[in-house]
Amino acid sequence: MPAPVTDSDAPADRVATSDPTGLHRVLDTSDGRRVLPQAAQRLDTRRELWPDEVRVRVETLNLDAASFRQLEGTHCVDGRHDGDAVRREVLEIVAERGKMQNPVTGSGGMLIGTVEEVGPESPLGLEVGDHIATLVSLSLTPLVIEDRLERWDGRSEQVPADGYAILFGRSIAARIPDDLEPGLSLAVMDVCGAPALTARLVQQYDAPVVAVIGGAGKSGSLSLAAARREGASRTVGVVPHEAEATLLRDAGLADDVVVADARDAIALRDAVESTGGLADITVVCVDVPGCEGGAILATAERGTVIFFSMATSFSAAALGAEGVAADVTMLVGNGYTPGHAAYAMQLLRESDGVRRLFERRL
Amino acid sequence: MPAPVTDSDAPADRVATSDPTGLHRVLDTSDGRRVLPQAAQRLDTRRELWPDEVRVRVETLNLDAASFRQLEGTHCVDGRHDGDAVRREVLEIVAERGKMQNPVTGSGGMLIGTVEEVGPESPLGLEVGDHIATLVSLSLTPLVIEDRLERWDGRSEQVPADGYAILFGRSIAARIPDDLEPGLSLAVMDVCGAPALTARLVQQYDAPVVAVIGGAGKSGSLSLAAARREGASRTVGVVPHEAEATLLRDAGLADDVVVADARDAIALRDAVESTGGLADITVVCVDVPGCEGGAILATAERGTVIFFSMATSFSAAALGAEGVAADVTMLVGNGYTPGHAAYAMQLLRESDGVRRLFERRL
């Protein structure tokens, strides 16, 4: 266990050695249990590095969709979004918690920045000056904002910011390719867990039918591309309205494109079934609550539902499946699969359709 | 689509034919979306059956552990539980929603009763007079309580009750064996999804190490028995204190029994690792929040975590795994696997240890 590089301001009663999970920066001490940074109320944001850490100069924060939607909804009067109030709340959260974790959704996002200092024992293979995206959630990343987010109007998920963030021994970061616009790289890396896990699942079935709820979105379009690439016999993209259906049809990523409100369980089931039968694998990529029942009903017996939406309710999924006697496997969409960033970048480079959908959103 | 047996009091604007999922009893109409009974705010509890339904005379409700714990915690003053207040709240919930679904946990429980009437098109194979347990959650079962729960003191999960409940075409119910005490059968059936899914997972690995968090509990002890039966190379039971460790050791269900606070992620990881290495399959069976991180850390790369606790947070699981770059599969514990009730009963009959742990709790 390495000793800290600088411990001049380390409280005497706290751990002085680092843990690859970042445990040494958790400040919660109320009940004596050791929680991980993601579950912590508050993180230690000191600039000084433990030997296995990396400090990153922040350039852009990318709030996750569920979190931003929640913040926007809270600060909305008469249908008008109050961007200043959203910005103030983000600043307050970061100041209070030492990380950007939406207290309601529990989610965070990710960031782009430049490596500022690398601890002598960091296993991440980064060098000072590297331009990177972090692939661990902001909800567990020590973060200090130094510019009051003055360049952000509080109206988009991408937040220009100056400040610093800390990566742990077991964090994940990826170098941003030189040939792609940084915003595009960030957008791809933000959701790269979805296509990687979809790909793994498709390989476990024999030419499955794959339905992606929210197929025209970022994680959705990549998941559709992954499904086709790994041998899906048929891919179905479900979108909420005709405008998105046109976009997805033009992108050419799905064999069938259908319109349905994913929160209407019966409508979703019927829409998927109408394409030639239920799905073997259903991937939920829409960040609105209440899609669990429909996703389960749209999935064939012994099929699998992968929930990538942070708006998923655990109990709604568990009890929803039981409630209709559905023998489906339900996966919590793990944002990490080895090689996920490179795989997603490859999908983007191979597919003009994916690229067009992403560039539209920048 | 069958017409209702009795539709004299059916509002003219509502569906007049039944759906096997129970959709026809959902009263939510605010926004025009059709949600399933589990997600509904309010269910139609009319006595009259649609042709594929079954009405059950209720004998006992069994509130699920997470729900009961939440209710107890809410009505607790100076460390004393107010059973009357808990009873009042359950009555209010059922009167308001037409089902027993805890608004905080989203969960319900199950019930024991006697079949009172069987619709002519019911596919469940039940007969009037059958003594059954329902294996779908109370959170989606139309329920009317007719005795004000007068025989219940509000201090235990098992609630003596008189009233009726409705089963749909796609519901699940199991006849209660004559040779077992009904309370024992109910307790086993209540958690029978856990051992069935554990068994399926163990079969997918080659002699895996299986750790069960909450191994001395109901779902936990059955899951340990299932893991051993299906070929686990080693089973580990994790319990919160020495008293439970003694009980579990006496039951002889686990190769190793270790004590750890499952909410302390590092303690949980270290406890499991100390038995000879991390687990290939970790089954979470404790109904307290905050166990996601520890369960993930206690699991080996390419291992699987099954979350059976209704206290599981979806975002804590998803982001927790990503946050420590853990390549683990995470399953939402589906309460339904075909044959689950019979399998759990078999485990109980085969294992004196399981039976002793269950009988202790009655």
Side-chain angles (χ1 to χ4, degrees):
Chain A
M1 295 279 247
V5 171
T6 306
D7 62 358
S8 55
D9 59 348
D13 61 338
R14 295 207 34 255
V15 284
T17 53
S18 62
D19 185 280
T21 62
L23 194 71
H24 54 289
R25 286 198 182 250
V26 172
L27 292 177
D28 304 27
T29 55
S30 53
D31 53 8
R33 283 194 297 272
R34 289 160 298 172
V35 298
L36 292 174
Q38 205 275 332
Q41 275 308 305
R42 219 173 122 231
L43 299 181
D44 181 344
T45 59
R46 73 179 69 180
R47 284 179 52 81
E48 294 73 25
L49 298 180
W50 269 263
D52 62 347
E53 292 184 335
V54 168
R55 190 174 59 252
V56 178
R57 176 58 36 186
V58 175
E59 188 178 299
T60 310
L61 304 175
N62 199 46
L63 304 184
D64 88 280
S67 170
F68 182 69
R69 192 184 294 265
Q70 190 276 330
L71 289 166
E72 223 183 7
T74 305
H75 300 290
C76 178
V77 181
D78 298 334
R80 293 189 48 199
H81 297 301
D82 184 347
D84 288 335
V86 170
R87 184 177 59 228
R88 275 196 304 276
E89 185 169 350
V90 170
L91 285 168
E92 274 165 26
I93 290 171
V94 175
E96 213 174 282
R97 307 195 63 174
K99 58 178 180 173
M100 177 52 211
Q101 182 174 28
N102 182 313
V104 176
T105 63
S107 57
M110 52 187 302
L111 64 85
I112 275 188
T114 305
V115 174
E116 199 170 71
E117 186 182 342
V118 178
E121 295 172 21
S122 167
L124 300 185
L126 297 174
E127 288 174 32
V128 172
D130 279 353
H131 196 209
I132 62 160
T134 64
L135 301 181
V136 288
S137 173
L138 288 178
S139 66
L140 54 88
T141 303
L143 175 68
V144 172
I145 292 174
E146 296 172 333
D147 70 344
R148 311 271 322 145
L149 302 179
E150 285 163 359
R151 289 170 292 151
W152 184 44
D153 63 4
R155 289 167 182 279
S156 72
E157 296 167 20
Q158 294 216 3
V159 184
D162 189 29
Y164 68 85
I166 305 290
L167 300 180
F168 308 128
R170 207 166 155 173
S171 295
I172 324 161
R175 281 195 191 79
I176 293 173
D178 292 333
D179 62 330
L180 293 178
E181 207 265 298
L184 181 60
S185 294
L186 183 66
V188 172
M189 290 177 182
D190 184 29
V191 295
C192 65
L197 187 53
T198 300
R200 186 184 276 183
L201 253 288
V202 169
Q203 290 162 0
Q204 288 172 9
Y205 281 78
D206 180 21
V209 174
V210 179
V212 177
I213 319 300
K218 292 189 292 182
S219 56
S221 59
L222 282 169
S223 297
L224 279 170
R228 181 175 283 171
R229 190 176 199 280
E230 306 306 328
S233 63
R234 193 161 62 80
T235 57
V236 181
V238 183
V239 293
H241 44 68
E242 200 47 52
E244 285 212 5
T246 304
L247 280 173
L248 185 54
R249 280 192 199 101
D250 290 349
L253 296 175
D255 298 318
D256 293 287
V257 175
V258 287
V259 173
D261 182 340
R263 298 164 299 180
D264 183 328
I266 304 299
L268 183 54
R269 175 194 67 186
D270 292 349
V272 172
E273 198 163 29
S274 74
T275 64
L278 298 174
D280 298 306
I281 298 172
T282 301
V283 187
V284 181
C285 292
V286 282
D287 272 313
V288 290
C291 303
E292 300 87 356
I296 290 162
L297 286 185
T299 308
E301 291 291 289
R302 296 304 289 255
T304 298
V305 182
I306 318 178
F307 291 105
F308 273 107
S309 165
M310 282 300 154
T312 304
S313 155
F314 183 87
S315 62
L319 298 175
E322 182 192 284
V324 293
D327 182 15
V328 296
T329 299
M330 294 181 287
L331 297 188
V332 177
N334 182 348
Y336 177 69
T337 300
H340 58 345
Y343 182 71
M345 283 298 176
Q346 185 181 5
L347 292 172
L348 180 87
R349 290 175 197 279
E350 287 176 1
S351 164
D352 283 346
V354 169
R355 189 154 181 161
R356 281 203 304 277
L357 286 174
F358 268 77
E359 287 177 338
R360 247 195 90 248
R361 290 171 173 268
L362 292 180
Chain B
M1 294 280 248
V5 171
T6 306
D7 63 356
S8 54
D9 59 350
D13 61 337
R14 294 210 32 259
V15 286
T17 53
S18 61
D19 185 280
T21 63
L23 194 71
H24 54 289
R25 286 198 182 249
V26 171
L27 293 178
D28 303 29
T29 55
S30 52
D31 53 8
R33 284 194 297 271
R34 290 160 297 172
V35 299
L36 292 173
Q38 206 273 333
Q41 276 308 307
R42 219 172 121 233
L43 299 181
D44 180 343
T45 58
R46 74 180 69 181
R47 285 179 51 82
E48 293 73 24
L49 298 180
W50 268 264
D52 62 348
E53 293 184 332
V54 168
R55 192 174 57 251
V56 179
R57 177 58 35 188
V58 175
E59 188 177 298
T60 310
L61 304 175
N62 199 45
L63 304 184
D64 88 280
S67 171
F68 182 69
R69 190 184 295 263
Q70 189 277 331
L71 289 166
E72 224 183 7
T74 306
H75 300 290
C76 178
V77 182
D78 300 334
R80 291 190 50 198
H81 297 301
D82 183 347
D84 287 336
V86 170
R87 185 176 59 227
R88 274 196 304 275
E89 185 169 351
V90 170
L91 284 169
E92 274 163 27
I93 291 171
V94 175
E96 215 172 279
R97 307 195 63 174
K99 58 178 179 174
M100 178 51 212
Q101 181 174 26
N102 182 314
V104 177
T105 63
S107 57
M110 51 187 300
L111 65 84
I112 276 188
T114 305
V115 174
E116 200 170 71
E117 186 181 342
V118 178
E121 294 172 22
S122 168
L124 301 184
L126 297 173
E127 288 174 31
V128 172
D130 279 352
H131 196 209
I132 63 161
T134 64
L135 301 181
V136 287
S137 172
L138 288 178
S139 65
L140 55 88
T141 304
L143 175 67
V144 172
I145 292 175
E146 296 173 334
D147 71 344
R148 310 271 324 147
L149 302 180
E150 286 164 358
R151 290 169 291 152
W152 184 44
D153 62 6
R155 290 168 180 279
S156 72
E157 296 167 20
Q158 294 217 2
V159 183
D162 191 27
Y164 68 85
I166 306 290
L167 300 180
F168 307 127
R170 208 166 155 174
S171 296
I172 324 160
R175 283 196 189 77
I176 293 172
D178 292 333
D179 62 330
L180 293 177
E181 206 265 298
L184 181 59
S185 295
L186 183 66
V188 172
M189 289 179 183
D190 184 29
V191 294
C192 65
L197 188 53
T198 300
R200 186 184 277 183
L201 253 288
V202 169
Q203 290 162 0
Q204 289 172 9
Y205 281 77
D206 180 23
V209 174
V210 179
V212 178
I213 320 300
K218 292 189 292 182
S219 55
S221 58
L222 282 169
S223 297
L224 279 169
R228 181 174 283 171
R229 190 174 198 281
E230 305 306 328
S233 63
R234 193 161 63 80
T235 58
V236 181
V238 182
V239 293
H241 45 68
E242 202 46 55
E244 284 212 6
T246 304
L247 279 173
L248 185 53
R249 281 193 198 99
D250 290 349
L253 295 176
D255 297 318
D256 293 287
V257 175
V258 287
V259 173
D261 182 340
R263 296 165 300 180
D264 183 329
I266 305 299
L268 183 54
R269 174 194 69 185
D270 292 349
V272 171
E273 197 162 29
S274 74
T275 63
L278 298 174
D280 298 305
I281 298 171
T282 301
V283 187
V284 181
C285 292
V286 281
D287 273 313
V288 291
C291 303
E292 300 86 357
I296 290 163
L297 285 184
T299 307
E301 290 292 287
R302 298 303 293 255
T304 298
V305 182
I306 318 177
F307 291 105
F308 273 109
S309 164
M310 281 300 152
T312 303
S313 156
F314 183 87
S315 62
L319 298 175
E322 183 193 282
V324 294
D327 183 15
V328 296
T329 300
M330 295 182 286
L331 297 187
V332 176
N334 183 348
Y336 175 70
T337 300
H340 59 344
Y343 182 71
M345 285 297 177
Q346 186 181 3
L347 291 172
L348 180 87
R349 289 174 199 278
E350 286 176 1
S351 163
D352 283 348
V354 170
R355 188 156 182 158
R356 281 204 304 277
L357 285 174
F358 268 78
E359 286 177 339
R360 246 194 92 246
R361 289 169 174 270
L362 293 180

